[in-house]
Amino acid sequence: MADPITVFDRHILKLRRDRAASRASEFNFLFAETADRLADRLEDTTRNFPHAVDLGCHSGELAQILAASSRVETLHQADISYRYAKVARDLNGRSSMVADEEFLPFAEGSLDLILSNLSLHWVNDLPGMLLQARRALKSDGLFLACMLGGETLKGLREALMTAEAEEEGGVSPRVSPFVDVKDAGALLQRSGFALPVVDADDITIDYPDALKLMRDLSGMGESNIVAKRSKKFTKRSTLARAAAIYHERHAQPDGRIHAKFQVIYLTAWAPDESQPKPLRRGSGQVSLVDFLGDVPDKPKP
């Protein structure tokens, strides 16, 4: 039996990212898109950040975009995959390291900014990881990340489960316990962050069929790593049946399919005395009636 907190097989994640690194330019389109959106959010701040880290840097998409920004002076790239870290360093010339998001190697109060682009959805103990991130930040340091949410590829997961039941007589775990929007803010507060903001948007990608979608997920290193998944290779007949089910349920008039990725954005700050705080209840000095003026009586029926 796996430890209850071991939901994902991180060793398999590392191996799949190592393999994905060799063809990163063919499959990094989603990482590039979300990196661009993260960079936009960073530009919305009025701060500059001398020391920053990109957790789960993939092939360096975020560093490439931030090269044109004055917001970040020194950006260190980190990934659980040595090969991804090396590709990122070679492509953009910024320093990189091998680091596991679950065991952050940064001294307390050493960073001004922590970024993470589509990596945290594979972390087993997300509250523990957020606590480590908050401790690694200086006072008033920024945590800015995006991760996949629970609505991601819901149709594909349902099609795979149905096909597996039909073709193989049973269903192995395929549904990752993704964080949803309503819980993400609570996780940030629980980890000691201040001023948390959580929002989400959907990125929809057009595909000729579900088989091409599954090949892209494999190429990205983003296929199923649930620890209790079946260790057997999925039968070709199961994959073909899943593609047919997906087409039956979700095909567009032109025969193509849409794949929806829900992306959740997390923004929060390490606590600092300079940050705005809510007033103590009952401390208001102005009467609401005085502020609004006379309120007319409610008309009688």
Side-chain angles (χ1 to χ4, degrees):
M1 295 289 290
D3 188 286
I5 206 170
T6 306
V7 180
F8 304 116
D9 188 333
R10 300 278 295 177
H11 176 66
I12 292 297
L13 174 65
K14 176 184 178 299
L15 294 178
R16 290 183 177 172
R17 286 195 172 188
D18 280 345
R19 184 177 61 186
S22 64
R23 301 174 63 188
S25 61
E26 298 178 43
F27 298 102
N28 69 347
F29 50 89
L30 182 61
F31 304 141
E33 175 62 30
T34 53
D36 190 54
R37 299 186 186 200
L38 272 183
D40 282 345
R41 283 168 164 75
L42 187 62
E43 289 298 321
D44 288 339
T45 69
T46 58
R47 290 267 305 279
N48 290 332
F49 302 93
H51 298 287
V53 65
D54 176 10
L55 287 178
C57 63
H58 302 288
S59 58
E61 295 80 13
L62 192 52
Q64 287 181 292
I65 293 171
L66 292 179
S69 171
S70 60
R71 288 279 183 260
V72 179
E73 295 178 24
T74 301
L75 177 66
H76 302 285
Q77 302 171 108
D79 202 278
I80 194 173
S81 162
Y82 166 78
R83 293 184 181 177
Y84 253 151
K86 183 177 185 302
V87 168
R89 183 195 64 198
D90 292 346
L91 285 178
N92 55 55
R94 293 181 185 255
S95 67
S96 66
M97 67 184 80
V98 176
D100 189 333
E101 297 97 333
E102 295 188 347
F103 304 97
L104 299 185
F106 309 111
E108 184 170 349
S110 61
L111 297 170
D112 301 285
L113 170 66
I114 295 177
L115 298 158
S116 185
N117 179 30
L118 286 195
S119 190
L120 301 185
H121 50 276
W122 295 131
V123 170
N124 282 303
D125 181 12
L126 187 57
M129 178 268 151
L130 291 173
L131 180 60
Q132 292 182 66
R134 195 265 297 164
R135 288 174 175 169
L137 286 168
K138 298 176 183 178
S139 295
D140 207 29
L142 175 61
F143 178 82
L144 178 59
C146 67
M147 60 192 296
L148 294 178
E151 294 300 311
T152 296
L153 300 179
K154 188 175 181 179
L156 177 63
R157 287 182 281 155
E158 291 172 349
L160 281 165
M161 291 175 67
T162 302
E164 192 172 24
E166 292 179 5
E167 297 293 322
E168 303 184 29
V171 176
S172 63
R174 291 186 179 274
V175 180
S176 299
F178 292 131
V179 172
D180 61 25
V181 175
K182 67 180 181 181
D183 292 333
L187 282 175
L188 289 168
Q189 289 182 317
R190 175 181 166 187
S191 303
F193 281 102
L195 309 174
V197 176
V198 178
D199 63 299
D201 58 20
D202 294 335
I203 297 176
T204 301
I205 300 175
D206 190 45
Y207 280 97
D209 54 56
L211 291 175
K212 177 63 168 72
L213 167 59
M214 287 185 272
R215 285 193 293 269
D216 275 7
L217 291 173
S218 178
M220 294 161 65
E222 291 291 315
S223 49
N224 181 23
I225 62 164
V226 174
K228 293 184 179 180
R229 72 197 183 284
S230 172
K231 302 306 188 290
K232 300 183 297 184
F233 287 107
T234 304
K235 295 180 179 178
R236 290 186 179 182
S237 60
T238 302
L239 297 177
R241 179 61 184 141
I245 293 171
Y246 197 104
H247 185 272
E248 292 166 6
R249 297 177 180 178
H250 303 289
Q252 303 302 306
D254 62 359
R256 297 176 70 85
I257 63 166
H258 290 164
K260 184 179 83 170
F261 296 84
Q262 183 189 40
V263 182
I264 297 176
Y265 299 88
L266 311 175
T267 306
W269 300 82
D272 186 77
E273 287 300 319
S274 66
Q275 294 166 349
K277 296 176 178 62
L279 293 174
R280 181 174 53 84
R281 186 172 181 179
S283 62
Q285 301 296 314
V286 178
S287 164
L288 186 60
V289 172
D290 292 341
F291 180 77
L292 296 176
D294 294 334
V295 179
D297 293 334
K298 182 179 179 180
K300 296 180 180 181

